[in-house]
Amino acid sequence: MTNEKNLELINSSSIYTQEPTLGRKFLFLELELLKRIVQLGWPVIFGMFTQSAINTIDLLMIGRLDDTVAVPGSAAVMSSLIILWAYGGFLSAISVGTQAIAARRFSEGNFTDAGQVLTNSLMVSLVSSIIISLFSIYTIEPVVALLSKDDIVKKMSVEYSSIRLLALPSMALMASFKSFYDSLGRVKIYMFVAIIMNIANTVINYFLIFGTEIFGLNIQPVGVNGAAWGSMLSSYIGLACIFIWSLRVQDRIKFKVFRIKNINFSIACKIALLSFWSGLATVVLMSGVGLFNYIVSTIDKAANLPSINSSASSIIIHIMMMVFMSALAFGTSTSTLVSQSIGAKKIALAKRYVWQCVILALYATVIFGIIVFIFPKTILSLFLPADLNGNDLKDLVIEQAIPSLRITALLLSPASAAGLVLTQALYGTGETKFIMIVEFVLHFFCLVPLAWFLSLYFGFGLMGCWLAAVIYGFLLFLVTAIKFYKGSWENLKL
């Protein structure tokens, strides 16, 4: 009787665990599953696009400053974001453990247990983020020195990073809230919060970067650092919004999150341990990206160029973030679908969700790649518009970026998108340690050495770095696809 009661709760709690029969297909896509994936995925994509737009808007606005500030400023933002993503990504990995465990408890019909997961996730996030924030700000100067050889870029990076790192606690706590609501399938909540964050960031950026006079108050322009303040403050505005939402009566009654007796060392450790490998994978990933960035900076130094390649690479990465964020968003949705399906004892449904999402990601990114391949200069010019004074430094950056952007959009986009979807799906099954090992091997035995050999030893320059990234993307796709196909994750207990 207990099992029958739990099954009734599962079926009533989520439509995503109801397994449809094999129906009509269109271009290998099951229309019923496609409808569910898009229904769950589009708010996540919109939310993550909006979140990533905070960094993109920083770059777009900085690109409208004078050449002497815009070019090194764009390179500095990239160096700073590597640092922020390394520390912030490690902390935000709490979302992996939170989402995987909360989705299982929710699909089992244990709502208060799902709420207890959030309680302990918030506790882990708060403690760990305070410790890491203090450490990251104290060590910022030597870390920045490892990412760039340009003195101007290093100075800008230290100032920009010191401000952005103040937002680490808000990033960690936001990850706990977001992953909990994502695990329930309530993905629109974060979407609206991200919209509010982005609006706040845009307004604050404009006032602080360029300066203005409003209501008799004269705001002096802060330049590149103004973008850092806007991003940091908007992060806390977003946290305040989602916290207020969590205080709604319906959620407090159903999930009982804010109870002291919810704090459980065993649950906190389980969340932290499951998330730790994901966090370590993020640190490994960003360490690899940092070394990649250093190699690009070395190309500039060897040719005695003023951050031309570094700025070009920074813009390519921000354009490619459209692919990465879309893939991560669909991957996050897939992780929820997989976790709920496993919790409902429907392994076959979990597999169908994942392969359908991979096919969808491939179709979308191939279209994206073709568009970027045809119109690279138009897209790059959005980030570095021409100056009225006729200075050609921005034009040099754009011309340098075009070949690498084309090959990256056409080849790296589909490979990395499929690989990221499978990575997130494996996170949802609990295979976090495997992903960390894969990222370590691919970054330090593939991406970094290949980038060095192709760009510096064989003389391919910036193109060599991005060819190495393409090879990395295809290998990530291949390894994660084989791992998921073999099905060793099916019996993991969370």
Side-chain angles (χ1 to χ4, degrees):
M1 289 297 292
T2 302
N3 289 336
E4 291 177 5
K5 184 177 180 181
N6 284 342
L7 186 59
E8 289 175 7
L9 284 169
I10 291 168
N11 291 332
S12 64
S13 64
S14 176
I15 63 167
Y16 303 115
T17 57
Q18 298 171 11
E19 189 165 9
T21 57
L22 288 171
R24 288 189 304 124
K25 288 187 178 182
F26 176 73
L27 296 176
F28 304 104
L29 291 169
E30 297 183 46
L31 299 184
E32 177 58 33
L33 294 185
L34 177 63
K35 178 182 176 183
R36 295 183 188 181
I37 291 168
V38 172
Q39 182 182 17
L40 190 63
W42 79 260
V44 182
I45 288 179
F46 195 86
M48 293 187 78
F49 260 135
T50 308
Q51 181 190 23
S52 66
I54 289 176
N55 298 319
T56 303
I57 286 172
D58 282 3
L59 202 63
L60 286 169
M61 289 190 172
I62 289 169
R64 278 148 180 77
L65 295 170
D66 182 78
D67 274 22
T68 56
V69 177
V71 172
S74 297
V77 167
M78 190 63 246
S79 296
S80 302
L81 289 180
I82 289 171
I83 297 168
L84 183 70
W85 289 336
Y87 290 121
F90 179 80
L91 291 168
S92 297
I94 193 72
S95 62
V96 173
T98 305
Q99 183 169 338
I101 299 174
R104 293 276 184 101
R105 300 298 169 264
F106 179 73
S107 65
E108 292 165 358
N110 299 320
F111 302 132
T112 54
D113 286 354
Q116 189 177 26
V117 173
L118 176 57
T119 307
N120 288 277
S121 175
L122 290 170
M123 182 184 69
V124 173
S125 291
L126 181 62
V127 173
S128 59
S129 64
I130 291 173
I131 295 170
I132 291 178
S133 294
L134 294 173
F135 173 80
S136 64
I137 294 172
Y138 180 75
T139 59
I140 188 61
E141 290 190 19
V143 172
V144 165
L146 298 173
L147 299 176
S148 177
K149 285 192 169 186
D150 189 290
D151 291 335
I152 297 175
V153 172
K154 283 192 281 190
K155 182 177 183 298
M156 287 184 168
S157 296
V158 168
E159 294 175 355
Y160 184 91
S161 299
S162 298
I163 299 167
R164 289 296 304 266
L165 289 171
L166 295 172
L168 287 178
S170 66
M171 290 176 65
L173 292 168
M174 177 67 81
S176 292
F177 278 116
K178 176 186 179 299
S179 56
F180 173 71
Y181 285 117
D182 284 353
S183 73
L184 310 181
R186 292 160 62 176
V187 291
K188 291 183 181 178
I189 295 172
Y190 180 73
M191 180 186 75
F192 288 114
V193 170
I195 292 172
I196 294 169
M197 289 168 60
N198 208 58
I199 293 171
N201 177 65
T202 303
V203 173
I204 297 171
N205 269 11
Y206 179 80
F207 287 143
L208 295 183
I209 293 173
F210 304 110
T212 190
E213 186 172 338
I214 183 171
F215 302 123
L217 178 64
N218 186 20
I219 301 175
Q220 294 297 315
V222 189
V224 175
N225 290 343
W229 283 111
S231 300
M232 187 273 288
L233 292 171
S234 64
S235 180
Y236 280 99
I237 290 171
L239 177 62
C241 290
I242 202 165
F243 173 70
I244 291 170
W245 179 272
S246 71
L247 296 177
R248 295 186 320 145
V249 174
Q250 304 98 302
D251 285 356
R252 285 193 286 114
I253 292 175
K254 186 173 186 178
F255 298 107
K256 298 179 174 61
V257 173
F258 300 106
R259 300 187 303 178
I260 297 296
K261 67 178 184 179
N262 273 4
I263 297 176
N264 183 296
F265 184 74
S266 176
I267 294 174
C269 285
K270 182 181 287 187
I271 295 169
L273 184 61
L274 192 59
S275 302
F276 172 77
W277 295 111
S278 172
L280 201 56
T282 302
V283 172
V284 167
L285 189 152
M286 296 320 302
S287 297
V289 173
L291 290 170
F292 181 93
N293 196 62
Y294 184 81
I295 293 169
V296 174
S297 176
T298 302
I299 298 171
D300 282 327
K301 196 73 173 178
N304 199 26
L305 294 171
S307 306
I308 298 294
N309 288 285
S310 296
S311 183
S313 186
S314 174
I315 295 169
I316 291 171
I317 289 174
H318 275 81
I319 292 170
M320 289 300 297
M321 286 300 292
M322 296 179 66
V323 172
F324 302 148
M325 286 296 109
S326 297
L328 283 172
F330 269 119
T332 300
S333 303
T334 306
S335 180
T336 295
L337 294 168
V338 168
S339 294
Q340 288 196 9
S341 298
I342 293 173
K345 313 299 182 187
K346 296 182 178 180
I347 302 297
L349 179 60
K351 293 179 180 179
R352 288 168 66 187
Y353 274 133
V354 172
W355 294 120
Q356 288 296 297
C357 200
V358 168
I359 294 171
L360 183 61
L362 286 171
Y363 288 157
T365 49
V366 166
I367 294 170
F368 169 85
I370 292 171
I371 292 171
V372 175
F373 187 87
I374 297 172
F375 305 107
K377 190 167 185 177
T378 303
I379 295 169
L380 288 164
S381 296
L382 295 173
F383 291 86
L384 288 176
D387 277 345
L388 295 176
N389 60 16
N391 199 324
D392 63 354
L393 194 56
K394 293 179 181 178
D395 291 334
L396 289 174
V397 174
I398 290 173
E399 291 303 319
Q400 187 70 4
I402 286 175
S404 297
L405 177 60
R406 276 181 160 157
I407 195 75
T408 302
L410 204 59
L411 298 179
L412 181 60
S413 293
S416 62
L420 285 169
V421 167
L422 286 161
T423 295
Q424 294 301 309
L426 287 168
Y427 277 149
T429 68
E431 289 280 8
T432 55
K433 188 176 181 179
F434 170 80
I435 296 299
M436 189 280 296
I437 294 171
V438 169
E439 291 286 13
F440 179 85
V441 172
L442 289 182
H443 275 85
F444 294 110
F445 294 94
C446 172
L447 177 63
V448 173
L450 267 180
W452 187 87
F453 274 108
L454 291 175
S455 63
L456 296 172
Y457 187 79
F458 290 107
F460 288 107
L462 185 63
M463 174 65 83
C465 288
W466 286 103
L467 284 172
V470 169
I471 294 170
Y472 157 82
F474 274 98
L475 288 175
L476 178 66
F477 177 29
L478 179 64
V479 172
T480 51
I482 292 172
K483 177 67 174 179
F484 190 82
Y485 177 77
K486 285 186 172 181
S488 59
W489 47 269
E490 294 178 18
N491 297 315
L492 289 178
K493 304 294 182 183
L494 297 182

